[in-house]
């Protein structure tokens, strides 16, 4: 018979206001095996933990039940406290009487009744708990960063500076990401390229960093500390070790009709191309879809021009397999498709552009060398309208429910830069709310209004109409003076909502990392573990986790790096001992469990068993304890009941149900 | 009366984030005393009598642009229609009476429009 102690937490008034805690302790005392029961204001505090430890020592407790908050919150805390007092940490059970009871009930009598039932269930379970011991696995001291934008670069630099090897996998031909496309950065208006490109160079030159550009993660196996990743290095059709980056090939290429991704399609690029002057690596890539040689078998001008023979039309994709201890997702964002926003004429009028396109139009390295002109006729605009929240904060299927967070600031930046450079242009901004929290952010927005004379109007634009003279007519409301405005304008700039990069979902599946309904990666805890995925060993950096500006992205990148360093510093990791186990006498080797296992933790082996005096060889399921995450899927799939989860055995769960139904 | 309007229309005016896109897009703006976003706000705050007395009720052309473009799915048109219905259901409040038709009839209107007008403006 176990000697069980029950500790009921008030959680201040969080629990005690809805649950009569002393009544719960009293009821628990009546349960078989319970030798001690008490309540206290804050069980997780030092005094509370001391109370638990003293009770373990003085009463010789063999199992304890803490009636408190969710185990996700403090299970680890209480297990550690129990271990310090000499009790096996897996002899601790949590009855969640906060999230699953006090927070969802209003009536104290009902709340108390339910709390008592939850406590009884946990007591019944503890009776069947067995001490578990965690095994150890070694840690591969190398990290993988997926995505080579500012988030990925900063994470990689921070990890590498701590002395660990890092690989960056970037799907496009160069690192740099979206930040490389920006003109200036708020709120200081320093040049984006000037602060980014040195970091790109640092990353490329760092002896601990290896870049895989034009590459994609193809397969991820393994678990925290021991990931095995297949990287597909797509064929650039260039021999990297021979290429000098002189760029002559790109000037000779006759295929010049492909939209230039770096300039948001505002001009064209050649089929063999280097995305931009500061690209890293400074090596061209042949876009096989556009290349005349790949389409017709003719041409080959680049090959003839190349002085070092670096063009290789026969190059194949290469699969590189590498081992990692930790993986950081830094896959970033893209702007949403505006296909379904017909009221703004984006698909019809070239003078209706996204803010990212405006960045390129204003950039000295952009298609117009930084001169702001109407894309339709290259004329200087006189009036410009900015529309905020395009696709953000909406409920329909064409919109995103969230605030994209960066648009208010970059719109203020664009408006200010235009008024600064071209004081003759009238700039109107239509907003729903101006959201500028952040250091020096609101001051920045006020400067746009007060010092630069940007006309901010509270209200949305209803529609944009093309007119015969080529100008645009904007119909909008000004809610503050109750008018419907009709503005003649030359250009309309849409502050387009951002969404996670489309590669993120596929990656999340490979990493078994969870995502929210918008495809942003979910953090392990929204407040306390913001840079970790719930999947052990997978970390999050930048906008793949949620909309962020550059300072926040860099801060999070550093935080993710710190977490990775903390993991890679360790030589060995403790495994979760609450893993699946197959009873060999019941297992029929049917393979159902391995089919449902999301972690690939189950293998089969032929083994000799002794069953009722008969010795025979059978095909049996074998769980790799280091890989198993204890999700329990196999225990449900097993038709013969051979699979069981240590710490959550069928017997234990049935005992809980019995206790509640008694 | 507020509850009745909400029930008839199925609109939750608290969903409105006051962006004004409905009003920005409304083709009947000039004719209206109260504009679509004001309808939403006034019903929400139970200021319904001024709406009932306003000619704005009959300016709405049911083009549904407000409903189509509202980012929060509020459906201001449904709300305007519900207030209209409340008004018309009161006894003797028919907006369009058969005896008035002859003098107001525009011969170029299709007959269907007349039927629709009866359906919309009388009990």
């Amino acid at each position: 018979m176990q000697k069980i102690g029950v500790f009921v937490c008030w959680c201040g008034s969080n629990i005690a206001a809805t649950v009569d805690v002393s009544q719960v302790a009293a009821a628990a005392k009546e349960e078989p095996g319970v030798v001690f029961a008490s309540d206290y204001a804050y069980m997780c505090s030092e005094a509370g933990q001391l109370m638990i430890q003293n009770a373990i020592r003085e009463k010789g407790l063999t199992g304890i039940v803490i009636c408190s908050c969710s185990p996700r919150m403090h299970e680890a805390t209480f297990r550690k406290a129990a271990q310090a007092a000499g009790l096996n940490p897996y002899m601790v059970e949590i009855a969640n009487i906060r999230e699953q009871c006090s927070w969802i009930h209003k009536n104290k009598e009902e709340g108390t009744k339910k709390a008592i039932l939850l406590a009884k269930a946990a007591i019944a379970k503890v009776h069947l708990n067995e001490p578990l011991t965690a095994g150890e696995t070694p840690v591969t001291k190398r990290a993988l960063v997926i995505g080579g934008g500012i988030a990925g670069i900063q994470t990689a630099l921070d990890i590498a500076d701590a002395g660990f090897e890092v690989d960056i996998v970037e799907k496009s031909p160069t690192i740099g990401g979206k930040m490389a496309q920006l003109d200036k950065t708020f709120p200081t208006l320093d040049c984006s390229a000037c602060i980014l490109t040195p970091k790109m160079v640092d990353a490329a030159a760092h002896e601990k960093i290896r870049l895989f550009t034009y590459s994609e993660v193809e397969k991820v196996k393994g678990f925290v500390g021991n990931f095995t990743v297949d990287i597909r290095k797509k064929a650039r059709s260039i021999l990297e070790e021979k290429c000098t980056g002189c760029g002559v090939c790109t000037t000779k290429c006759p295929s010049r009709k492909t939209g230039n991704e770096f300039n948001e399609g505002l001009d064209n690029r050649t089929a063999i191309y280097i995305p931009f002057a500061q690209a890293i690596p400074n090596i061209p890539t042949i876009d096989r879809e556009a290349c005349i040689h790949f389409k017709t078998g003719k041409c080959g001008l680049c090959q003839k021009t190349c002085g070092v023979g670096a063009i290789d039309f026969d190059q194949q994709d290469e699969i590189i397999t590498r081992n990692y201890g930790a993986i950081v997702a830094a896959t970033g964002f893209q702007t949403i498709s505006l296909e379904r926003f017909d009221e703004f004429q984006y698909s019809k009028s070239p003078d209706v552009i996204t803010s990212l396109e405006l960045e390129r139009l204003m950039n000295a390295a952009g298609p117009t060398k930084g001169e702001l002109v109407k894309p339709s006729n290259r004329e200087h605009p006189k009036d410009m309208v900015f529309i905020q929240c395009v696709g953000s904060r909406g409920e329909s299927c064409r919109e995103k429910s969230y605030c994209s967070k960066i648009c208010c600031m970059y719109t203020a930046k664009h408006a200010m830069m235009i008024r600064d450079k071209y004081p003759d242009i009238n700039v109107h901004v239509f907003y729903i709310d101006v959201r500028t929290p952040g250091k020096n952010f609101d001051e920045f927005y006020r400067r746009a209004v007060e010092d630069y004379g940007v006309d901010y109007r509270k209200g949305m634009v209803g529609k944009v109409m093309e007119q015969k003279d080529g100008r645009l007519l904007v119909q909008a409301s000004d809610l503050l003076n109750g008018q419907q405005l009709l503005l003649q304008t030359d250009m309309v700039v849409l502050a387009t909502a951002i969404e996670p990069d489309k590669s993120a979902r596929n990656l999340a599946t490979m990493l078994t990392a969870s995502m929210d309904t918008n495809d942003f990666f979910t953090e392990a805890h929204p407040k306390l573990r913001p840079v970790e995925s719930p999947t052990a060993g997978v970390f999050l950096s930048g906008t793949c986790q949620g909309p962020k500006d550059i300072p926040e992205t860099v801060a999070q990148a550093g935080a993710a790096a710190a977490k990775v360093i903390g993991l890679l510093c360790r030589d060995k990791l403790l495994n979760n001992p609450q893993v699946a186990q197959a009873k060999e006498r019941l297992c029929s080797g049917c393979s159902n469990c391995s089919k449902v296992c999301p972690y690939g933790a189950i293998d089969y082996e032929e083994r000799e068993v002794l069953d009722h005096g008969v010795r025979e060889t059978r095909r049996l399921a074998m769980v790799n304890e280091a890989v198993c995450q204890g999700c329990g899927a196999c225990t449900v799939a097993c038709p013969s009941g051979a699979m069981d989860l240590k710490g959550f055995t069928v017997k234990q769960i049935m005992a809980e149900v019995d206790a509640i139904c008694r | 009366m507020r509850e009745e309007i909400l029930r008839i229309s199925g609109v939750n005016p608290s969903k409105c984030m006051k962006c004004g896109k409905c009003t920005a897009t409304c083709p009947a703006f000039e004719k209206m005393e109260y504009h679509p976003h004001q309808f939403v706000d006034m019903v929400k705050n139970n200021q319904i009598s001024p709406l009932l007395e306003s000619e704005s009720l009959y300016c709405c052309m049911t083009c549904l642009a407000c409903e189509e473009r509202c980012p929060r799915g509020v459906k201001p048109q449904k709300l305007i229609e519900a207030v209209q219905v409340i008004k018309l259901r009161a006894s003797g409040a028919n907006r369009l009476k058969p005896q008035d038709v002859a003098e107001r009839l525009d011969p170029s209107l299709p007959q269907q429009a007349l039927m629709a007008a009866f359906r919309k403006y009388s009990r």
Side-chain angles (χ1 to χ4, degrees):
Chain A
M1 187 71 162
Q2 303 263 27
K3 289 168 86 180
I4 296 169
V6 179
F7 304 86
V8 187
C9 182
W10 303 15
C11 196
S13 63
N14 271 311
I15 293 172
T18 331
V19 169
D20 185 339
V21 284
S22 59
Q23 213 180 317
V24 176
K29 220 169 209 162
E30 301 304 314
E31 287 297 292
V34 176
V35 295
F36 179 84
S38 177
D39 59 86
Y40 181 66
Y42 293 103
M43 275 299 168
C44 58
S45 69
E46 202 181 347
Q49 292 188 38
L50 206 62
M51 179 175 166
I52 296 168
Q53 290 170 333
N54 285 341
I56 292 171
R57 291 196 192 95
E58 284 161 21
K59 310 278 178 189
L61 301 179
T62 60
I64 60 173
V65 170
I66 321 271
C67 304
S68 63
C69 52
S70 159
R72 285 189 64 165
M73 190 76 200
H74 276 311
E75 187 176 65
T77 313
F78 292 124
R79 279 187 177 159
K80 225 161 133 188
Q83 192 168 27
L87 188 66
N88 182 285
Y90 293 91
M91 298 307 289
V92 178
E93 282 302 325
I94 308 276
N96 180 355
I97 61 165
R98 195 177 75 173
E99 285 84 344
Q100 289 174 357
C101 187
S102 70
W103 277 359
I104 50 168
H105 290 290
K106 289 207 168 75
N107 182 316
K108 196 162 182 174
E109 203 179 320
E110 276 182 355
T112 308
K113 213 166 128 190
K114 181 168 173 186
I116 291 171
L117 284 178
L118 291 171
K120 284 181 176 175
I123 294 165
K125 186 181 177 203
V126 150
H127 271 291
L128 300 170
N129 274 24
E130 278 171 18
L132 300 175
T133 313
E136 287 179 337
T137 46
V139 178
T140 308
K141 295 190 177 276
R142 184 190 299 135
L144 170 66
V145 175
I146 304 166
I150 180 61
I153 291 172
Q154 187 63 50
T155 304
L157 281 173
D158 288 347
I159 297 170
D161 283 343
F164 295 104
E165 281 181 45
V166 193
D167 291 355
I168 298 178
V169 172
E170 165 58 48
K171 69 176 179 333
S172 66
T174 174
I175 57 170
K178 291 282 184 298
M179 189 177 167
Q181 289 180 276
L182 306 183
D183 184 29
K184 301 231 160 57
T185 55
F186 58 77
T188 46
L189 292 181
D190 39 358
C191 150
S192 185
C194 312
I195 53 178
L196 175 69
T197 45
K199 278 199 186 288
M200 290 163 62
V201 173
D202 285 352
H206 205 295
E207 56 168 1
K208 296 280 186 188
I209 298 181
R210 192 164 155 190
L211 297 181
F212 292 92
T213 49
Y214 208 48
S215 303
E216 281 174 49
V217 170
E218 184 135 305
K219 198 165 144 199
V220 179
K221 278 194 305 188
F223 50 95
V224 55
N226 293 278
F227 293 105
T228 305
V229 178
D230 287 354
I231 300 165
R232 175 178 290 273
K233 200 166 180 307
K234 293 178 281 185
R236 275 180 190 266
S237 316
I238 306 289
L239 300 169
E240 291 182 31
E241 58 287 354
K242 283 192 182 169
C243 176
T244 59
C246 72
V248 172
C249 52
T250 66
T251 63
K252 300 289 178 199
C253 178
S255 164
R256 291 165 186 272
K257 289 206 177 120
T258 310
N260 183 349
E261 296 88 351
F262 186 70
N263 283 336
E264 290 291 305
L266 290 168
D267 63 354
N268 291 336
R269 61 160 170 80
T270 46
I272 182 164
Y273 70 107
I274 298 176
F276 55 100
Q278 296 81 23
I280 285 179
N282 184 29
I283 291 171
T285 305
I286 295 181
D287 173 355
R288 294 187 173 186
E289 304 276 309
C291 174
I292 296 167
H293 178 82
F294 280 96
K295 283 198 289 195
T296 67
K298 296 188 183 117
C299 189
L301 261 180
C302 49
Q303 198 172 37
K304 287 172 202 135
T305 339
C306 181
V308 291
I311 311 284
D312 178 8
F313 290 126
D314 300 325
Q315 199 174 52
Q316 299 292 317
D317 288 4
E318 196 184 337
I319 303 289
I320 298 161
T321 303
R322 303 265 285 171
N323 295 323
Y324 302 100
I327 298 178
V328 183
T331 44
F333 73 94
Q334 61 191 27
T335 50
I336 64 164
S337 157
L338 290 176
E339 252 172 32
R340 296 166 77 181
F341 290 82
D342 291 339
E343 71 261 39
F344 298 132
Q345 307 295 329
Y346 175 76
S347 339
K348 292 224 185 85
S349 169
D351 294 335
V352 180
I353 60 172
T354 67
S355 300
L356 197 53
E357 287 164 19
L358 183 68
E359 292 281 352
R360 297 313 302 153
L361 273 186
M362 299 197 57
N363 193 303
T368 58
K369 306 265 182 295
E371 196 196 342
L372 180 60
V373 291
K374 291 169 69 175
S376 60
N377 58 8
R378 305 263 149 180
E379 276 175 18
H380 178 70
K382 285 276 187 308
D383 284 278
M384 291 182 70
V385 165
F386 285 80
I387 308 175
Q388 299 226 251
C389 297
V390 175
S392 297
R393 309 173 63 197
E395 279 205 328
S396 72
C397 54
R398 63 177 194 167
E399 286 147 335
K400 300 290 170 185
S401 60
Y402 49 84
C403 166
S404 294
K405 197 173 186 180
I406 52 178
C407 326
C408 284
M409 281 302 284
Y410 70 58
T411 298
K413 175 191 79 172
H414 289 152
M416 192 188 288
M417 280 162 58
I418 291 169
R419 291 284 297 163
D420 185 43
K421 203 167 164 191
Y422 309 102
D424 64 314
I425 301 182
N426 294 313
V427 177
H428 312 277
V429 177
F430 285 91
Y431 68 92
I432 304 173
D433 302 287
V434 176
R435 295 178 165 174
T436 52
K439 193 174 172 183
N440 294 325
F441 280 18
D442 206 63
E443 294 90 326
F444 182 83
Y445 149 61
R446 290 310 307 169
R447 252 169 65 208
V449 176
E450 293 166 25
D451 300 348
Y452 289 85
V454 179
D455 175 36
Y456 268 77
R457 299 282 181 135
K458 157 77 185 170
M460 244 332 228
V461 167
K463 56 179 171 179
V464 177
M465 290 156 276
E466 273 189 294
Q467 289 179 297
K468 288 208 180 89
D469 64 356
R471 298 189 83 196
L472 298 160
L473 186 65
V474 172
Q475 186 182 341
S477 50
D478 183 330
L479 293 183
L480 295 184
N481 63 16
Q483 284 181 332
Q484 193 181 58
L485 304 173
L486 278 172
L487 294 178
Q488 301 276 346
T489 191
D490 297 304
M491 283 177 78
V492 171
V493 184
L494 308 175
T496 313
I498 60 172
E499 63 182 355
D501 189 89
K502 62 180 180 303
S503 64
R505 171 143 294 272
N506 191 15
L507 180 68
T509 311
M510 284 192 275
L511 295 173
T512 63
S514 53
M515 289 187 131
D516 65 18
T517 50
N518 295 309
D519 276 8
F520 286 114
F521 280 97
T522 312
E523 53 280 32
H525 187 287
K527 278 150 272 182
L528 303 178
R529 295 174 67 193
V531 300
E532 294 158 82
S533 152
T535 304
V538 176
F539 301 87
L540 312 174
S541 176
T543 45
C544 67
Q545 180 257 337
K548 269 178 208 70
D549 58 27
I550 295 168
E552 280 181 308
T553 297
V554 171
Q556 203 200 17
K563 290 287 172 190
V564 171
I565 294 163
L567 171 62
L568 298 187
C569 275
R570 290 152 72 176
D571 293 323
K572 280 183 172 144
L573 289 178
L574 283 182
N575 299 335
N576 168 21
Q578 291 178 313
V579 291
Q581 194 177 32
K583 294 187 192 85
E584 59 176 25
R585 297 224 316 228
L586 290 178
C587 179
S588 64
C590 72
S591 297
N592 274 356
C593 52
S594 80
K595 277 183 205 147
V596 297
C597 178
Y599 306 98
I602 304 173
D603 284 326
Y604 293 88
E605 65 173 24
E606 299 286 332
R607 217 169 48 213
E608 194 173 77
V609 290
L610 184 64
D611 189 1
H612 295 83
V614 182
R615 192 174 290 278
E616 59 183 6
T617 305
R618 287 188 195 161
R619 180 171 187 266
L620 298 170
M622 288 289 298
V623 177
N624 181 344
E625 296 201 347
V627 183
C628 176
Q629 298 290 308
C631 73
C634 54
T635 64
V636 184
C638 179
S640 60
M643 266 299 176
D644 223 346
L645 195 59
K646 286 192 232 170
F648 290 93
T649 59
V650 174
K651 269 189 180 170
Q652 284 177 300
I653 290 165
M654 289 317 287
E656 284 188 279
V657 175
D658 279 349
I660 290 171
C661 300
R662 206 158 54 210
Chain B
M1 195 184 295
R2 180 177 177 272
E3 301 316 312
E4 183 67 2
I5 292 170
L6 299 186
R7 192 185 63 79
I8 296 172
S9 62
V11 167
N12 174 6
S14 303
K15 289 179 75 132
C16 173
M17 64 171 169
K18 299 182 168 57
C19 73
K21 195 161 181 175
C22 48
T23 294
T25 211
C26 180
F29 180 92
E30 290 299 335
K31 300 248 181 277
M32 284 180 157
E33 177 189 4
Y34 299 116
H35 303 112
H37 77 278
Q38 287 169 300
F39 265 88
V40 176
D41 194 56
M42 288 167 82
V43 171
K44 176 166 177 266
N45 296 320
N46 209 8
Q47 301 165 337
I48 292 158
S49 359
L51 292 178
L52 286 170
E53 298 314 315
S54 173
E55 279 294 301
S56 303
L57 274 185
Y58 312 103
C59 299
C60 171
M61 298 187 289
T62 331
C63 75
L64 301 184
C66 52
E67 181 171 331
E68 170 71 19
R69 294 189 183 143
C70 171
R72 307 294 309 169
V74 176
K75 304 188 171 95
Q77 183 275 331
K78 290 262 186 320
L79 209 54
I80 296 174
E81 200 173 9
V83 180
Q84 234 175 48
V85 162
I86 292 269
K87 172 85 179 176
L88 294 172
R89 278 181 186 174
S91 85
N94 280 2
R95 174 85 177 164
L96 188 63
K97 298 187 177 98
Q99 57 266 38
D100 302 336
V101 172
E103 99 189 42
R104 296 172 74 173
L105 192 65
D106 176 349
S108 62
L109 273 181
Q111 202 170 8
Q112 211 176 358
L114 195 62
M115 297 310 293
F118 268 112
R119 209 176 301 144
K120 197 165 170 188
Y121 293 127
S122 59
R123 221 154 48 126

